[in-house]
Amino acid sequence: MRTNQPKTIYLSEYRVPAYLVDTVDLRFELFEDGARVHSTLSVRRNPESEAGAVPLELDGDSLKLESVSLDGVPLAQGQFEDQGDRLVVSQVPESFELTVVTWIEPQNNTRLEGLYKSSGMFCTQCEAEGFRCITFFPDRPDVMSRFRTRIEADSKSYPVLLSNGNDVERGDLPDGRHFVTWEDPFPKPCYLFALVAGDLVEKRDSFKTCSGRDIDLRMYVEPRNAEKCDHAMDSLKRSMRWDEEVYGREYDLDIFMIVAVDDFNMGAMENKGLNIFNSSCVLASQETATDLAFQRIEAIVAHEYFHNWSGNRVTCRDWFQLSLKEGFTVFRDSCFSADTGSPTVKRIEDVTLLRTAQFAEDAGPMAHPVRPSSYMEISNFYTLTIYEKGAEVVRMIHILLGPEMFRKGSDLYFERHDGQAVTTDDFLQAMEDASGRDLSQFRRWYEQAGTPVLEVSDEFDANACVYRLSIRQQIPDTPGQTNKQPQHIPFALGLLGNRGQALPLRLVAGEVDAPAERVLELTETEHTFEFHGIDEHPVPSLLRDFSAPVRVRYPWSREQLLFLMSHDPDGFNRWDAGQRLAVDVIQELVGASKDVAVDPRLVTAYGHLVSDASLDQALVAKMLQLPSEAYLIELADAADAPAIHAARERVVKHLAIALRDELVACYRRNAESEAYQVTPEQIARRSLRNTALSWLLLINDEEGRELAVRQFRDADNMTDRMGALRALVNSDYEDERDRVLSEFYTRFQDDPQVIEQWFSVQAASDRAGSLPQIRALLEHEAFDWKNPNKVRSVIGAFAGQNLAEFHRADGSGYDFLAEQVCRLDDSNPQIAARLVTPLTRWKKFAPAYGERMKAGLELIRDKSGLSRDVYEVVHKSLAD
Ligand code: B3K
Ligand code: ZN
C-alpha cells in the first residue's frame, strides 16, 4: 500500500510565476532507441512577481538530464539540483538563457503523455502537464512563450516532420537523416506544443478567410486511411466559416493541420495550428463509420478548431480555470452542431448526456464545482462537470443576456484578453461590462458543486383567474460543501390550455400582448409567480429547452405527460414528457410481480409515434428511444441494476409485441432508397428503422430476423450494418449472432476503428458480453492493452453499458473491473483512473451491490505503487 499521499493543489495558493520564458528554442533528435531534446529558454524575472531573486524551478517527469548551461556556460554539480520532478537552479541573474539537454524514451512511453510512439510515428500530448515529460520547463499555462522547433529524424521512416506554426527551414543531414524547423509567431503555453514525425500521406485543401487570406488546410494520416479524410476536412471548413459568421473570429496562421493517431488518451487536442486527433474521432467513410461517428467527428473537429480562439489566443491562467476554455468551447461546438443539423435533436442529445452522466458525477464522491478549488491530479478533472455543465453555464449567460449582448460580451472578452492567460471571472467580467448586467450571484454556478433541485408546485384560483406557480430551489451537499446559497437560474416556461393552445403569460392583470413563453429568473430560495387572466387549469411546460442544468420535480400526472407529448410547442419538452412517462412506467415495474401491467397508455402513445409519418421524424426517432438503464439508475435511490434492466426490457418487449405490425411498417417505410448522406432526415430514417429492427428481434420475430440478416448483408453503410449486427447480437438467435459477428470480423479485421465497434457491440450486450465472453475478448488477437480505444471498447463498454452483467449479484463484475484497473495503472494511469468511474458510484446502489463495489475499490486501493490519478479517485470514493 502506498504510504506517500499525493499532494493536494489549491486554487487559493495560486501565485504568479516567478520567472517568465519569452522564447523557447527546441531541437529534437529522434532515434529508435530514444530522443535527445535540446531546449534553450530565454528567461527573465517576472516583474509582477513579489518572489524576487528566488531559485529558478522547472518541472520535469521521467527525464534523463544530460546537461544544463546558463548563458552558454555549462553548470557544474552543485549549481543546479535534479530532483526528478524538478530542476532547481539556485543562482540566476534577472534575465538569462538556459539550455537544458534531456534524453527521453518515447518508444517506452505507455502513458501517452509527452512524446510517444503510436503505430511507428512520433507524436505528442502535452495538455495538461505532458510537456514536462519532454524537457524541464515551467509547465503552467500562464507562462506563454514563442516556440521555434527543429526536428531531426531518419528521412525514410519519418518523411513528415511537423510542429506548430510555419515551416521556415528544411534540409538533409548526414546518415540519411533530415530536418524541418517550425516557428510559431504566437506566444503560447507549453501545453499547446505539438510534434509529429512519421510516414504519413498528406491531404490538402484550402480556405479563404473573411478578410481574403488563403489558409492551407492539411490532414496527415497513415496511407491506408487516405480515403477517410473528406468528412473531417469538410467539417473543418464549415467550422471556420461558422466562427467567422457567428463570433467574428478569423483564423490567424497560414496553415492549419490535423493529424490522426491511433493511440490517444482522449478524443483530440487543439495544439496551435497542429491539431492531433484520435483516429476514431476524425476518420470516416460511409462503409466504416456510423451516423453517430460522422456527427461526433464534425463536433470534435469544430471543437478543436474553435479552441484556436477560446483556449489558444485567450488561454487559462491555471488549471482551475479549465472550464473557461472547455465549457465555452463545448457551448460553441454545440451551437455549431445545432445550426448544421436539427437543433432540437442536438439539445436532446446534450441533455441526455448531462442528465445521465454529469448529474451522476455531481451526486458522487468526485463532485466538484465548474471551477474547482483543489485537485490532486489535474487529468482527473477533464470531467463532464468542467465540459458539459460548464457549457450549460455559458448557455445560461447566453439566455440571460440574449444573443446580441452575448456576442458583444464575447467580442469584448477576446479583444480585452487576446494573448493572455485569464480566469473564468475575467470571462464573466467581460460579459457584465458589455451588457450592463450584474452576474455576481450567477458566479455561484462556478463555485458551488451539485445539481440544483427545483420543487415546483401550483394552484389555480378559478375565481380570480390566477394561476400560481411556486418554485423552491435547493442545492444538495457535496463533498466538502454544505449550506449552499441560492443560484441565479433562468427558467423558461409556457402554459397550455386544455385544447393545447399556448396561454398568454400575464404577470400583471390586464397586461396586453403578453408572450406565450417567458424566462423567469430565479434568485431566491423560493419564488411564487402569478399568471393572470387564466380561466382554466393549465398544464405547465417547465424548463423549456432545458434552460438550466437542474432537476425539476413537479407532480405531473400521466395524462398531463401524454398531453405534453403531443401538444407542447417546445420540441425538447415534448420529448422530455415522453421520457418522464416512460421512466414512470418502468419504475413502477422494477421488482414488481408480473401481475403489474404495463400502462396501456404508453402503448397508445408509442403506437402513434411509430405510425404517424407526418410527425417530425427526427424527433420521433429520439422519442422512441426509451430512457437508458444508466439514466434509470441515476434516478433511483437504492438502485438494483439487474431489476432495472429486466423492467426496461419487459417494457420494450411489451411495446414490441403490441406494435409488431406497426414496427414492420415503420421499418419498410423508412427503408433507404436514395444515396447515403449524413443529413438530419436520413439520420432519422436510419435511426427509426434500426430501432424498429432491434425491438422486433427482442421478441424473436421471424420476419424481423430475416430483415436484419438481409440488412446486415446488403447495407451500403455502417449505420445500417451495425444496426443489424447490434439487433442480432442482442437477440436470442444464437447461431445468427455468431455467424454475423464472425462475418463482420473477417470483413473489417484490418480496420482498427471498425474493430473497436465490433468489440463494444459485444461488450455492451447482455447476450454476448457475459464475463467469460469479456475475458475471451481480452485474449482476442485484435485486442491491444496499449491502445486506449480497445480498452474502452471492451472494459469501458462492459462496465458502462452492460449494466445487468457488470452488476451481477456475486460481485464478479466489480472484481473483474478492479483487476483490470490495477493492471492498467502501471502502464496508463489516466485510462485506469477513468475506468474506475463505475465503482465510484457505489453509494447509489442497494447495499448488497454497493458493499461489493466498495470492496472492488478497496482492492484497487491496496495495490502497491498506485498512480496519483487512481489514488485520488479511489481515496475520494472511499472517504466518508
Ligand atoms: N483540451 C483537450 C483535452 C486534453 C485532456 C488532457 N488530459 C481536448 C479538448 O477538450 O479539446
Ligand atoms: Zn476542449
Side-chain angles (χ1 to χ4, degrees):
M1 197 167 135
R2 186 184 177 125
T3 42
N4 263 357
Q5 183 181 328
K7 219 173 112 217
T8 300
I9 321 276
Y10 296 93
L11 168 60
S12 58
E13 290 175 357
Y14 173 83
R15 299 289 176 273
V16 298
Y19 292 91
L20 300 176
V21 179
D22 292 322
T23 62
V24 183
D25 207 311
L26 296 169
R27 180 174 154 229
F28 287 86
E29 298 180 81
L30 304 179
F31 305 103
E32 294 312 309
D33 63 343
R36 182 166 291 109
V37 185
H38 309 251
S39 155
T40 299
L41 317 176
S42 56
V43 188
R44 67 183 159 95
R45 219 183 273 166
N46 183 0
E48 281 172 30
S49 166
E50 286 162 6
V54 290
L56 173 76
E57 295 190 3
L58 304 177
D59 303 297
D61 187 348
S62 320
L63 303 169
K64 189 161 167 263
L65 181 64
E66 292 194 340
S67 68
V68 192
S69 29
L70 200 148
D71 286 333
V73 182
L75 294 186
Q77 290 296 333
Q79 293 179 293
F80 67 91
E81 197 186 344
D82 178 2
Q83 301 175 349
D85 64 349
R86 188 158 305 180
L87 174 67
V88 183
V89 186
S90 42
Q91 301 275 332
V92 291
E94 280 221 14
S95 76
F96 54 96
E97 219 171 55
L98 189 82
T99 301
V100 180
V101 181
T102 48
W103 176 257
I104 52 180
E105 295 185 351
Q107 74 282 6
N108 298 326
N109 179 350
T110 56
R111 287 161 55 189
L112 315 186
E113 285 179 274
L115 181 64
Y116 64 93
K117 285 193 92 172
S118 170
S119 358
M121 70 202 260
F122 287 91
C123 60
T124 53
Q125 172 53 38
C126 293
E127 187 177 358
E129 297 179 335
F131 194 73
R132 65 183 66 185
C133 308
I134 295 175
T135 183
F136 285 103
F137 197 79
D139 191 357
R140 45 187 290 169
D142 55 356
V143 172
M144 299 174 79
S145 328
R146 274 198 311 282
F147 282 70
R148 187 184 162 93
T149 306
R150 175 177 156 123
I151 311 166
E152 303 175 5
D154 182 76
S155 319
K156 262 220 186 63
S157 308
Y158 309 101
V160 173
L161 304 175
L162 309 173
S163 190
N164 319 82
N166 305 308
D167 50 336
V168 292
E169 202 188 349
R170 59 177 63 225
D172 289 325
L173 297 168
D175 302 326
R177 292 170 67 79
H178 69 149
F179 77 93
V180 179
T181 303
W182 292 81
E183 226 172 56
D184 183 355
F186 293 96
K188 63 169 178 287
C190 64
Y191 83 84
L192 290 173
F193 170 81
L195 175 156
V196 169
D199 185 3
L200 305 169
V201 292
E202 180 184 79
K203 303 293 271 187
R204 285 179 99 125
D205 207 324
S206 69
F207 177 82
K208 198 183 259 322
T209 70
C210 51
S211 75
R213 291 171 40 244
D214 283 309
I215 314 293
D216 228 338
L217 308 180
R218 305 182 191 168
M219 282 184 70
Y220 293 91
V221 299
E222 288 175 52
R224 65 188 164 84
N225 293 322
E227 302 314 313
K228 291 182 171 184
C229 298
D230 292 351
H231 178 64
M233 190 64 99
D234 190 50
S235 304
L236 173 62
K237 287 187 284 182
R238 279 184 288 113
S239 313
M240 295 177 89
R241 188 62 72 218
W242 189 90
D243 212 17
E244 292 183 345
E245 289 173 1
V246 180
Y247 281 84
R249 299 290 115 203
E250 184 180 351
Y251 186 62
D252 46 12
L253 289 162
D254 298 332
I255 318 175
F256 187 86
M257 296 175 281
I258 286 180
V259 182
V261 172
D262 280 352
D263 305 301
F264 207 64
N265 279 348
M266 339 77 64
M269 179 62 212
E270 71 263 24
N271 316 298
K272 183 76 188 185
L274 178 55
N275 288 359
I276 299 183
F277 277 68
N278 185 324
S279 296
S280 71
C281 297
V282 66
L283 302 173
S285 71
Q286 173 180 337
E287 292 76 25
T288 61
T290 59
D291 291 342
L292 197 70
F294 272 93
Q295 290 173 289
R296 201 177 61 220
I297 289 165
E298 179 186 72
I300 299 180
V301 167
H303 179 98
E304 305 311 331
Y305 174 71
F306 295 156
H307 267 316
N308 190 57
W309 274 96
S310 49
N312 302 3
R313 287 288 286 258
V314 182
T315 195
C316 301
R317 186 192 74 174
D318 54 73
W319 293 120
F320 298 102
Q321 319 297 329
L322 183 56
S323 196
L324 172 77
K325 72 179 179 80
E326 296 306 346
F328 187 22
T329 305
V330 171
F331 171 71
R332 278 150 56 68
D333 82 59
S334 157
C335 294
F336 166 75
S337 298
D339 282 356
T340 48
S342 155
T344 306
V345 167
K346 175 64 180 161
R347 190 70 192 129
I348 289 169
E349 287 164 353
D350 287 351
V351 173
T352 300
L353 174 64
L354 188 87
R355 285 205 299 214
T356 307
Q358 195 279 325
F359 281 16
E361 182 170 279
D362 237 354
M366 288 290 287
H368 55 276
V370 170
R371 190 197 60 198
S373 53
S374 71
Y375 60 75
M376 286 181 179
E377 169 53 60
I378 186 57
S379 299
N380 288 331
F381 284 77
Y382 285 76
T383 59
L384 291 143
T385 301
I386 301 295
Y387 277 70
E388 318 306 324
K389 185 174 180 180
E392 292 295 321
V393 170
V394 176
R395 196 168 187 280
M396 288 188 286
I397 300 175
H398 189 270
I399 295 175
L400 291 170
L401 266 57
E404 273 127 53
M405 283 301 164
F406 183 87
R407 169 66 196 271
K408 251 183 94 184
S410 79
D411 284 353
L412 179 61
Y413 167 71
F414 288 126
E415 186 193 318
R416 189 184 269 177
H417 298 297
D418 191 7
Q420 297 176 2
V422 303
T423 63
T424 53
D425 229 34
D426 292 319
F427 179 77
L428 287 164
Q429 190 65 52
M431 289 291 164
E432 285 182 322
D433 292 349
S435 68
R437 284 221 49 163
D438 177 0
L439 296 173
S440 38
Q441 184 182 2
F442 189 84
R443 280 173 169 73
R444 289 183 189 148
W445 279 106
Y446 287 87
E447 294 154 7
Q448 300 187 145
T451 308
V453 179
L454 301 184
E455 295 278 358
V456 182
S457 59
D458 58 354
E459 75 184 356
F460 176 56
D461 181 341
N463 293 330
C465 291
V466 168
Y467 175 70
R468 267 183 217 96
L469 202 63
S470 298
I471 308 176
R472 217 189 137 70
Q473 64 164 295
Q474 186 257 326
I475 307 166
D477 291 350
T478 45
Q481 277 193 338
T482 52
N483 296 326
K484 296 178 198 183
Q485 302 298 307
Q487 290 178 185
H488 185 172
I489 301 173
F491 188 85
L493 89 167
L495 300 177
L496 301 189
N498 55 30
R499 283 173 291 108
Q501 78 279 25
L503 303 177
L505 306 181
R506 297 186 191 89
L507 287 173
V508 287
E511 187 180 340
V512 282
D513 293 334
E517 178 173 307
R518 281 188 186 270
V519 179
L520 305 175
E521 294 193 21
L522 313 179
T523 51
E524 311 283 329
T525 302
E526 190 158 6
H527 289 265
T528 299
F529 298 93
E530 287 192 350
F531 299 95
H532 298 262
I534 306 275
D535 48 20
E536 55 180 316
H537 197 312
V539 179
S541 163
L542 305 175
L543 201 73
R544 280 193 168 164
D545 209 31
F546 206 70
S547 60
V550 299
R551 298 176 197 262
V552 173
R553 301 219 170 112
Y554 173 82
W556 274 290
S557 68
R558 289 188 184 175
E559 287 304 327
Q560 284 178 317
L561 292 173
L562 287 159
F563 179 83
L564 289 172
M565 267 177 91
S566 49
H567 291 105
D568 199 319
D570 185 74
F572 175 84
N573 269 7
R574 264 201 319 278
W575 168 81
D576 197 30
Q579 293 290 296
R580 284 177 192 272
L581 178 66
V583 164
D584 204 37
V585 170
I586 296 170
Q587 279 176 343
E588 190 184 16
L589 300 176
V590 175
S593 86
K594 287 275 175 263
D595 306 339
V596 182
V598 179
D599 190 330
R601 289 172 295 186
L602 192 73
V603 180
T604 315
Y606 274 67
H608 182 60
L609 291 173
V610 176
S611 318
D612 188 347
S614 73
L615 300 172
D616 171 357
Q617 296 296 288
L619 185 56
V620 168
K622 285 287 165 200
M623 291 183 84
L624 282 182
Q625 281 159 21
L626 289 180
S628 68
E629 289 171 19
Y631 184 52
L632 291 159
I633 288 173
E634 205 286 314
L635 293 174
D637 279 332
D640 179 336
I644 287 174
H645 172 80
R648 185 183 183 279
E649 189 162 304
R650 191 181 151 204
V651 171
V652 184
K653 282 184 173 163
H654 183 86
L655 290 169
I657 291 167
L659 301 172
R660 190 258 163 213
D661 293 347
E662 287 87 340
L663 288 168
V664 173
C666 170
Y667 180 89
R668 296 198 185 281
R669 188 172 72 239
N670 287 296
E672 215 63 72
S673 50
E674 48 272 79
Y676 178 87
Q677 271 185 307
V678 188
T679 58
E681 297 73 34
Q682 281 204 10
I683 292 173
R685 286 164 64 107
R686 284 187 284 271
S687 167
L688 281 171
R689 67 192 237 144
N690 285 310
T691 300
L693 208 54
S694 70
W695 288 18
L696 289 169
L697 275 266
L698 217 49
I699 55 169
N700 304 329
D701 187 88
E702 264 308 302
E703 190 176 350
R705 182 186 63 83
E706 279 164 29
L707 291 171
V709 170
R710 196 170 325 131
Q711 178 175 315
F712 177 79
R713 300 254 154 86
D714 299 347
D716 69 351
N717 65 82
M718 184 50 87
T719 309
D720 285 332
R721 196 179 310 276
M722 185 50 78
L725 178 69
R726 179 171 291 116
L728 287 162
V729 165
N730 288 307
S731 77
D732 295 327
Y733 294 112
E734 271 178 52
D735 293 349
E736 255 89 358
R737 177 193 314 152
D738 295 344
R739 196 168 332 127
V740 289
L741 277 171
S742 89
E743 269 183 49
F744 189 97
Y745 182 74
T746 309
R747 183 179 184 131
F748 293 107
Q749 56 185 315
D750 296 328
D751 189 320
Q753 283 78 56
V754 180
I755 295 308
E756 285 155 24
Q757 302 175 59
W758 179 80
F759 274 127
S760 63
V761 80
Q762 297 173 74
S765 159
D766 65 334
R767 314 289 208 277
S770 68
L771 207 43
Q773 288 168 308
I774 297 291
R775 287 196 186 274
L777 290 179
L778 295 181
E779 298 296 322
H780 193 277
E781 58 172 8
F783 188 79
D784 176 2
W785 284 99
K786 293 213 176 71
N787 179 259
N789 291 5
K790 297 288 186 316
V791 170
R792 280 187 282 256
S793 65
V794 177
I795 305 169
F798 170 69
Q801 294 171 52
N802 191 357
L803 300 180
E805 286 299 308
F806 175 61
H807 291 280
R808 281 182 78 99
D810 61 6
S812 53
Y814 312 144
D815 294 346
F816 167 79
L817 185 61
E819 179 192 330
Q820 311 318 321
V821 167
C822 290
R823 169 175 189 153
L824 281 157
D825 190 47
D826 293 325
S827 56
N828 191 330
Q830 268 186 40
I831 297 298
R834 296 261 149 176
L835 283 181
V836 182
T837 307
L839 291 176
T840 65
R841 305 281 149 75
W842 64 276
K843 285 187 182 153
K844 179 88 215 159
F845 290 83
Y849 299 97
E851 286 306 315
R852 285 181 183 272
M853 294 171 85
K854 193 173 164 208
L857 286 168
E858 286 161 352
L859 276 177
I860 304 173
R861 180 196 62 196
D862 295 341
K863 171 191 176 263
S864 66
L866 208 55
S867 70
R868 182 165 62 219
D869 308 60
V870 173
Y871 180 99
E872 176 173 33
V873 176
V874 168
H875 280 258
K876 287 185 175 171
S877 302
L878 288 171
D880 290 325

